Amino acid sequence: GWHGGQRNLAAMVDGSQAPPMLSLRVDGRDVQVEDDGSSLLEVLRERLGIRSLKDGCSPQGQCGCCTVLVGGAPRVACV
């Protein structure tokens, strides 16, 4: 899965660990999503509803349909 975000671990009331969270800025909006090993493409499309990204060759990352900017640099989101 994609692990480019900042991880935040928080203790729950019963003392167990909450799932790790990823902090992302998407189109100028700060969001947090659970880090469950999903690809960045899955997070953007399925959890955040951004459908402009396409899955053309997942998980090879060769076609470029899922290219996004990460820190100003292009990156395929399906791997």
Side-chain angles (χ1 to χ4, degrees), residues 1 9-11 13-14 21 23 25 27 31 35 42 46-47 54 56 62 64-65 71 74 77-78:
L9 296 176
V13 174
D14 65 3
M21 300 296 288
S23 297
R25 177 164 288 168
D27 294 334
V31 296
D35 181 2
E42 291 167 331
E46 294 162 19
R47 292 196 220 162
K54 304 301 178 200
Q62 296 177 357
C65 288
C78 68

Side-chain angles (χ1 to χ4, degrees), residues 20-71:
M21 300 296 288
L22 295 172
S23 297
L24 310 170
R25 177 164 288 168
V26 179
D27 294 334
R29 176 176 63 126
D30 291 327
V31 296
Q32 284 197 332
V33 294
E34 186 175 323
D35 181 2
D36 65 357
S38 296
S39 71
L40 179 56
L41 179 64
E42 291 167 331
V43 168
L44 293 171
R45 283 185 57 85
E46 294 162 19
R47 292 196 220 162
L48 301 179
I50 300 171
R51 297 296 190 186
S52 57
L53 297 170
K54 304 301 178 200
D55 184 354
C57 68
S58 180
Q60 289 85 19
Q62 296 177 357
C63 75
C65 288
C66 64
T67 301
V68 296
L69 294 177
V70 177

